[in-house]
Amino acid sequence: MAVSDATIHFDKLYSYLVPPELAERIWPGSMVLVPFGAGSKPRMAVVLECGEELQPDPRLKTILDAAPEEARLTPDLIDLVHFLKDRTFCTWFEAVKAMIPYGAQYQPARKDGRWVMQSRLSRTAEPVYTLAGELPQKPKPGPKQAAAVEALRNGPLSRKELAEQGISDATLKTLCEKGVLSVEQRDKLLDLFASIPFDPRPLELSPEQQTAYDALEPALEARQPCGALLYGVTGSGKTAVFLKLIERTLELGRKALVLVPEISLTPQMIRRLKQMFGSRLAVQHSALNNTERLLQWRMIQSGRADIVVGTRSAVFAPLQDIGLIIIDEEQEHTYQSESAPRYSAHDVAKKRAAAEGSLLVFASATPCTETYHAAQSGRLRFVTLTQRYGGRPLPTVDFIDMRAELAAGNPREVSGRLVQELKSNLQNGEQSILLLNRRGYRTVGMCSVCGHVIKCPNCSVPMVYHKPQQALMCHHCGHQIHPVPQRCPECGGKLNYSGFGTQRVEEELEQLLPGARILRMDQDSTGQKNSHEKMLAEFAAGQHDILLGTQMVAKGLDFEKVTLVGVLGIDSMLFGQGFRAFENVFSLVTQVIGRGGRADLPGRALIQTVVPEHPVLKLAAAQDYPAFYRQEIAFRKFSLYPPFCAFCVVGFTGKQEGAVCQAAFAFARILADLAARQPDIPLRLLGPAPMNIGMLNGKYRYKLTIKCRNDATFRGLMRAALDAYAKQKLPAKATIALDFNSDGDM
């Protein structure tokens, strides 16, 4: 079994004895409580395999307690545990925890002098009443008792539902004592989107959409694993094809899993799915509280959900008989986990599709280069939508040279041309979206005398000035400096704050466009529960004129009255680190331009930049993904980047920089020595070197980058290197982690 809190260097599967009283409660997938270590401290564990031995090892310890049967992991999820362990080099229990939401986990507790398992959440059930017999006429029943019986003739109701009809707990208790009603504890029924009406309407596909559906539908019928890329320009109606595929999947008696990259995209997707398919829809994402996530998870586990929609973690939903998996906006980096287990939702989805005989659809207007290459190579079916729905034209795009703006005496972050276009939209009653992928007010504080930059004491990044809080804030660890310093701590010189974020642009717009209703949408403004849904609903209802935000406003959103899109501050991304920098810029600009002109009104876009002739921006403005792909794939092949190799980044972290550096070089030597004995394994070692952010949360970070072929032989080599690293007691100097989904950093 997999035991909690084991480090990667001491992580293995442990064996325990099953006591007779638990023999009928323990199976593969069961959550149990076991004594562990020299002190036999109670720890949580999950059973991965059961067996019988005639003469078990007398040193084996005995299981203390087991969770109820309904908490058991299903066989397909146990397979995923093994998959994550093999592919991501996480611990066994880290793989287990990826499958189970916090609320479905257990913790040790003392009861009557012994250790037992206790659910982390206890208030997830409610009393449900069922009519068990007729109401006796003597003594004469009261009107409330008669009302309760009548209310329950159509089926069981919860205490809350009965209370809404004016029936008290005392009345229910009396009826139970008389044997008229029976009561049991059931999971609370949680309809997160009860306000969305069930309003199914026949789907009318355009000829091109119908052709795309016809190309994909046979794979649903075949019940064989199949992967496909649905590539369509922005506004081509990929979602309509999704809905038709889901409809057919349900007709075939199977289930559907829909992944979206960000929480901000879930409200619109949920609304469409709920209107068409009703309440048998479950949601899984991090904005739900622990109780909501648990109840949704149990809804899926019990088979009461036909469709699951969510962000990355929803790929582990305990959904059975999956016929269709959709990964929308598949190019997004949020499908890659940045903490253990460091998995790619793409890879897990492929594993599940293979096991279930599912159709896996990757969808995007700007596919990941690796995905498009797989489609071009014939490893994925290639289905295209080349026209916007209804024959609407793509937005026209103009560039604004910010060097000319500055020379003309405009020091603002918003150009004069963009201000005029925004005014025009306001006069016409049309809406605008502005993209600026930087939050805060000012992004850098620098001394005008010595050039010292105010950085976070815990992270090697500049502090960002946030005007509403009147504080400098670190966007990585949350550290704050208040009040905002005005003098350099090194030389006493005056600090100048420069750069701009969404708060600064919001202030400029309020000054330039008095009366405009501006909605700022970034990580600072969306911290409250359901804030994404509320903000987008308000914008859709016309309560705001301008939506200003970070990349959460760039993808997947569909607003009829948006006719103008502005792109600000894109240049810093053009010259960012990592081999995906151009791909990220092309995708972001293409996607946000595509938010305009999606209904009857034509769209237009303005891109503010100091490099208006940059080829990536030109291709994004033209929405010409095939041309961008040809340039990008040539660069990847020449430089040996994915898809022509795999990337494995080995990260080292610790409190002493010298020790971390030494550990990184020691591991590099270990790996080089082992690789020299197996010359048939192709690989290239780069580094070690500091990571892009050299210190994070008070810990120094180094990396070793390996260009390799990610197969079983290479992973075996890495396990041998990790074992040798542990034997030299190097983990005491620096903890180590492997990431196969990175673009060169962790």
Side-chain angles (χ1 to χ4, degrees):
M1 66 180 65
V3 180
S4 63
D5 300 326
T7 65
I8 191 170
H9 305 291
F10 300 99
D11 185 47
K12 65 177 183 178
L13 297 180
Y14 293 87
S15 297
Y16 283 84
L17 296 175
V18 179
E21 64 271 20
L22 297 179
E24 298 301 319
R25 292 172 53 189
I26 294 179
W27 302 91
S30 294
M31 289 186 242
V32 295
L33 186 67
V34 298
F36 190 81
S40 291
K41 292 182 179 180
R43 288 195 187 183
M44 303 310 303
V46 170
V47 178
L48 298 180
E49 187 177 340
C50 292
E52 294 186 9
E53 290 190 17
L54 295 177
Q55 294 182 330
D57 190 329
R59 296 172 296 177
L60 293 181
K61 298 177 182 179
T62 302
I63 295 174
L64 300 172
D65 195 14
E69 182 178 351
E70 60 266 20
R72 187 188 307 167
L73 289 184
T74 53
D76 54 321
L77 294 186
I78 294 175
D79 286 344
L80 289 182
V81 169
H82 288 272
F83 177 79
L84 289 181
K85 172 65 177 174
D86 174 61
R87 295 301 180 91
T88 72
F89 290 82
C90 64
T91 68
W92 284 104
F93 206 77
E94 284 171 342
V96 164
K97 287 176 70 176
M99 313 288 153
I100 311 172
Y102 175 86
Q105 297 172 22
Y106 289 79
Q107 59 190 356
R110 294 287 287 182
K111 184 178 180 181
D112 299 329
R114 67 185 187 90
W115 287 105
V116 297
M117 301 180 72
Q118 177 178 288
S119 175
R120 291 190 180 275
L121 296 180
S122 56
R123 287 183 282 181
T124 61
E126 61 183 344
V128 175
Y129 294 87
T130 304
L131 191 61
E134 289 301 321
L135 185 64
Q137 296 305 306
K138 293 184 180 181
K140 185 177 180 180
K144 292 296 184 183
Q145 292 184 11
V149 171
E150 288 304 313
L152 290 164
R153 288 197 185 279
N154 293 324
L157 293 172
S158 68
R159 180 171 64 185
K160 180 181 178 182
E161 291 169 326
L162 290 165
E164 290 172 351
Q165 300 184 36
I167 299 167
S168 67
D169 286 354
T171 298
L172 296 171
K173 181 179 179 183
T174 300
L175 291 174
C176 287
E177 291 173 350
K178 290 182 178 181
V180 178
L181 305 183
S182 62
V183 61
E184 63 176 327
Q185 295 291 320
R186 294 185 188 175
D187 280 343
K188 292 178 182 176
L189 295 175
L190 184 65
D191 191 346
L192 293 174
F193 301 92
S195 61
I196 301 174
F198 176 49
D199 186 21
R201 299 177 183 179
L203 276 172
E204 296 182 6
L205 301 183
S206 69
E208 190 177 42
Q209 288 172 331
Q210 186 65 48
T211 300
Y213 171 78
D214 291 341
L216 294 169
E217 192 268 344
L220 289 177
E221 303 273 0
R223 293 177 178 256
Q224 295 292 323
C226 177
L229 170 61
L230 177 59
Y231 162 66
V233 298
T234 55
S236 57
K238 293 182 287 295
T239 301
V241 180
F242 297 167
L243 295 176
K244 193 71 174 177
L245 288 170
I246 293 170
E247 182 181 57
R248 183 58 184 147
T249 301
L250 301 189
E251 288 173 355
L252 293 170
R254 307 193 77 190
K255 308 291 180 69
L257 174 61
V258 182
L259 300 183
V260 293
E262 293 187 25
I263 296 168
S264 61
L265 297 183
T266 56
Q268 286 198 1
M269 182 63 75
I270 289 167
R271 179 169 292 277
R272 290 166 176 165
L273 293 171
K274 183 78 182 290
Q275 285 177 337
M276 184 164 178
F277 300 110
S279 60
R280 289 180 65 85
L281 169 71
V283 182
Q284 292 278 278
H285 59 68
S286 59
L288 303 180
N289 64 39
N290 288 327
T291 299
E292 289 170 339
R293 292 196 76 182
L294 172 60
L295 293 175
Q296 292 285 287
W297 189 76
R298 286 181 176 170
M299 177 183 176
I300 302 165
Q301 190 184 45
S302 63
R304 291 184 284 119
D306 297 323
I307 306 167
V308 174
V309 59
T311 48
R312 179 181 65 225
S313 61
V315 77
F316 298 115
L319 198 62
Q320 301 293 305
D321 194 18
I322 303 172
L324 174 67
I325 302 174
I326 294 169
I327 302 183
D328 195 17
E329 306 293 354
E330 67 86 28
Q331 79 284 353
E332 287 301 314
H333 69 90
T334 49
Y335 285 123
Q336 319 291 330
S337 172
E338 295 179 353
S339 59
R342 290 177 170 82
Y343 66 91
S344 161
H346 287 60
D347 294 339
V348 179
K350 291 174 186 176
K351 172 70 174 174
R352 298 203 76 173
E356 298 275 355
S358 314
L359 168 62
L360 171 59
V361 179
F362 300 99
S364 178
T366 55
C368 175
T369 301
E370 293 92 319
T371 306
Y372 198 85
H373 183 263
Q376 294 290 297
S377 304
R379 287 178 282 124
L380 294 174
R381 293 191 184 185
F382 188 43
V383 181
T384 61
L385 295 170
T386 60
Q387 301 295 322
R388 280 194 149 193
Y389 185 75
R392 301 182 182 100
L394 289 167
T396 59
V397 182
D398 283 340
F399 289 93
I400 299 172
D401 191 336
M402 295 305 288
R403 295 170 299 182
E405 285 283 317
L406 190 60
N410 178 17
R412 297 181 181 273
E413 321 305 344
V414 183
S415 65
R417 167 78 184 282
L418 182 54
V419 172
Q420 291 304 314
E421 295 288 349
L422 289 168
K423 285 180 178 178
S424 176
N425 260 29
L426 290 171
Q427 293 168 359
N428 296 331
E430 299 170 9
Q431 293 177 303
S432 308
I433 291 179
L434 301 182
L435 167 71
L436 172 58
N437 204 30
R438 289 197 299 269
R439 60 190 180 101
Y441 190 85
R442 293 293 192 188
T443 54
V444 177
M446 178 183 290
C447 176
S448 59
V449 178
C450 70
H452 175 74
V453 174
I454 304 298
K455 291 188 176 182
C456 174
N458 306 316
C459 310
S460 55
V461 295
M463 299 286 282
V464 177
Y465 172 44
H466 285 244
K467 192 172 184 179
Q469 293 84 3
Q470 286 295 301
L472 297 183
M473 298 177 62
C474 175
H475 288 175
H476 293 274
C477 72
H479 179 78
Q480 295 190 21
I481 298 177
H482 181 84
V484 177
Q486 301 300 319
R487 292 289 172 182
C488 174
E490 297 294 317
C491 73
K494 186 178 184 301
L495 289 173
N496 289 328
Y497 290 91
S498 60
F500 61 98
T502 49
Q503 293 175 4
R504 170 66 181 169
V505 171
E506 180 185 28
E507 183 179 274
E508 279 193 6
L509 292 172
E510 289 171 346
Q511 296 168 356
L512 294 165
L513 303 168
R517 298 169 299 172
I518 302 166
L519 176 63
R520 176 169 55 84
M521 195 169 179
D522 54 26
Q523 194 171 332
D524 298 308
S525 65
T526 56
Q528 294 185 352
K529 184 175 174 59
N530 298 327
S531 55
H532 293 88
E533 181 184 4
K534 292 175 182 176
M535 288 182 172
L536 295 175
E538 289 174 1
F539 190 69
Q543 297 178 29
H544 304 278
D545 303 308
I546 300 171
L547 175 59
L548 164 67
T550 53
Q551 62 179 357
M552 62 178 67
V553 307
K555 304 172 289 289
L557 303 178
D558 194 347
F559 301 110
E560 292 185 357
K561 295 180 69 176
V562 172
T563 57
L564 174 64
V565 170
V567 180
L568 291 71
I570 198 67
D571 297 336
S572 62
M573 289 184 64
L574 268 175
F575 306 107
Q577 295 180 317
F579 69 89
R580 297 189 194 278
F582 284 177
E583 180 180 85
N584 293 337
V585 170
F586 179 89
S587 175
L588 190 60
V589 173
T590 301
Q591 292 283 349
V592 74
I593 289 173
R595 297 313 104 205
R598 298 175 73 89
D600 295 332
L601 299 171
R604 62 201 190 283
L606 297 175
I607 301 175
Q608 296 188 172
T609 175
V610 297
V611 283
E613 298 302 320
H614 197 288
V616 173
L617 294 180
K618 286 288 189 182
L619 289 170
Q623 304 265 297
D624 192 348
Y625 179 84
F628 169 77
Y629 169 77
R630 289 192 293 271
Q631 289 189 11
E632 183 70 9
I633 202 69
F635 158 71
R636 299 278 188 95
K637 188 172 185 179
F638 177 79
S639 304
L640 190 61
Y641 285 123
F644 300 102
C645 73
F647 247 45
C648 175
V649 177
V650 187
F652 305 85
T653 59
K655 292 186 177 181
Q656 301 295 327
E657 183 176 15
V660 175
C661 181
Q662 290 176 13
F665 275 94
F667 183 86
R669 287 193 296 271
I670 291 170
L671 183 59
D673 290 342
L674 291 172
R677 301 174 201 169
Q678 301 183 63
D680 56 322
I681 300 179
L683 58 84
R684 293 183 185 177
L685 302 182
L686 307 174
M691 293 192 190
N692 295 340
I693 301 177
M695 184 171 68
L696 197 64
N697 290 313
K699 292 186 177 180
Y700 291 93
R701 298 158 20 108
Y702 275 69
K703 65 180 178 181
L704 176 68
T705 305
I706 309 167
K707 293 182 177 181
C708 60
R709 184 168 58 211
N710 185 7
D711 55 16
T713 304
F714 175 76
R715 293 193 294 273
L717 173 69
M718 295 305 295
R719 288 190 190 91
L722 287 171
D723 289 342
Y725 183 83
K727 288 177 182 177
Q728 293 187 21
K729 304 194 182 302
L730 290 168
K733 293 184 177 181
T735 57
I736 189 170
L738 273 65
D739 190 345
F740 283 90
N741 302 300
S742 170
D743 65 352
D745 208 41
M746 295 175 71

